[in-house]
Amino acid sequence: NAGVTQTPKFQVLKTGQSMTLQCAQDMNHEYMSWYRQDPGMGLRLIHYSVGAGITDQGEVPNGYNVSRSTTEDFPLRLLSAAPSQTSVYFCASSYTGTRSGEQYFGPGTRLTVT
Amino acid sequence: AQSVAQPEDQVNVAEGNPLTVKCTYSVSGNPYLFWYVQYPNRGLQFLLKYITGDNLVKGSYGFEAEFNKSQTSFHLKKPSALVSDSALYFCAVRDALYGGATNKLIFGTGTLLAVQP
């Protein structure tokens, strides 16, 4: 059982480049989300989805796009990378509704924008 | 506004001593509370949760947490610390606005636990 997987593990981008961070889960979870982790700021929610075709913004959505075409996949796109987007990015998934509870996290993607 | 506070950036404890990592919350309605642990260069791992029931919740690796509604606290505890417990600990509360429809979590800023041998 793979759980939540993320690729790549590390990435270096130049300012203005675009890229997609991949996230997949094999637990048939309805809810998927993207967080960024910065020192002293905990985890901040970027975007989330409660099912295929449904996405919404979190706390810090600017500069990021998401889509959810399948239950399993939830990619995060950086449209034009900026140094302020240097961070560690985590994807997480869980059930919703009466089965909701703990979220399962991927191993993270460490992104550096120069 | 809903929020979670972890007042200590770092907690130092000697191996074998009891440990407490503090968390207070502010949320409307009944809180769903969680503790996660993050080891270096790893993702977050679920430790325990409080939804309803007993105020003392037991979780993984010998950790437990005490829910106190009057003090709006959910402190993480362990009777005897191990060096291997050294990690970053996050408290989180589920966004009460949407209930279980989304399972959005609000995280604290994290507390670094350092256990000295």
Side-chain angles (χ1 to χ4, degrees):
Chain A
N1 192 347
V4 180
T5 58
Q6 291 183 239
T7 56
K9 285 189 173 12
F10 301 95
Q11 183 70 49
V12 179
L13 290 179
K14 294 189 188 309
T15 297
Q17 288 184 317
S18 63
M19 79 159 294
T20 300
L21 279 63
Q22 301 292 344
C23 173
Q25 52 92 9
D26 61 0
M27 296 171 281
N28 204 30
H29 286 161
E30 303 96 343
Y31 181 80
M32 295 186 75
S33 55
W34 278 101
Y35 295 89
R36 60 178 288 172
Q37 182 180 21
D38 302 291
M41 303 190 75
L43 277 79
R44 293 182 292 168
L45 183 64
I46 304 172
H47 285 285
Y48 66 96
S49 168
V50 297
I54 306 170
T55 64
D56 207 345
Q57 296 181 352
E59 183 185 357
V60 288
N62 292 340
Y64 307 95
N65 271 358
V66 292
S67 59
R68 183 99 178 265
S69 57
T70 67
T71 299
E72 295 78 19
D73 300 298
F74 191 45
L76 177 72
R77 297 184 193 83
L78 278 69
L79 309 172
S80 177
S84 61
Q85 294 179 303
T86 293
S87 187
V88 182
Y89 292 85
F90 290 101
C91 179
S93 73
S94 72
Y95 293 114
T96 59
T98 56
R99 295 189 301 168
S100 66
E102 62 269 28
Q103 293 190 15
Y104 294 80
F105 283 79
T109 295
R110 186 174 295 272
L111 175 68
T112 301
V113 183
T114 60
Chain B
Q2 301 174 99
S3 64
V4 173
Q6 294 181 243
E8 302 153 317
D9 290 336
Q10 183 162 339
V11 169
N12 298 308
V13 64
E15 188 172 32
N17 283 0
L19 69 87
T20 299
V21 182
K22 296 179 180 177
C23 172
T24 58
Y25 65 90
S26 174
V27 64
S28 56
N30 294 321
Y32 281 36
L33 294 157
F34 302 85
W35 275 102
Y36 287 85
V37 60
Q38 184 181 32
Y39 298 100
N41 301 313
R42 303 286 296 274
L44 275 69
Q45 295 178 31
F46 168 76
L47 273 181
L48 51 80
K49 65 183 176 187
Y50 172 84
I51 298 179
T52 60
D54 282 342
N55 290 341
L56 187 63
V57 179
K58 294 191 184 299
S60 306
Y61 312 123
F63 283 93
E64 56 191 27
E66 187 170 11
F67 172 67
N68 187 317
K69 188 171 183 178
S70 62
Q71 297 187 2
T72 62
S73 66
F74 189 55
H75 300 332
L76 182 70
K77 302 184 180 192
K78 188 174 182 182
S80 178
L82 299 172
V83 171
S84 58
D85 293 329
S86 298
L88 188 57
Y89 290 80
F90 289 97
C91 181
V93 64
R94 194 173 78 178
D95 188 330
L97 186 62
Y98 299 98
T102 69
N103 208 25
K104 286 171 62 177
L105 293 183
I106 301 165
F107 282 87
T109 52
T111 298
L112 183 65
L113 174 66
V115 182
Q116 283 88 36

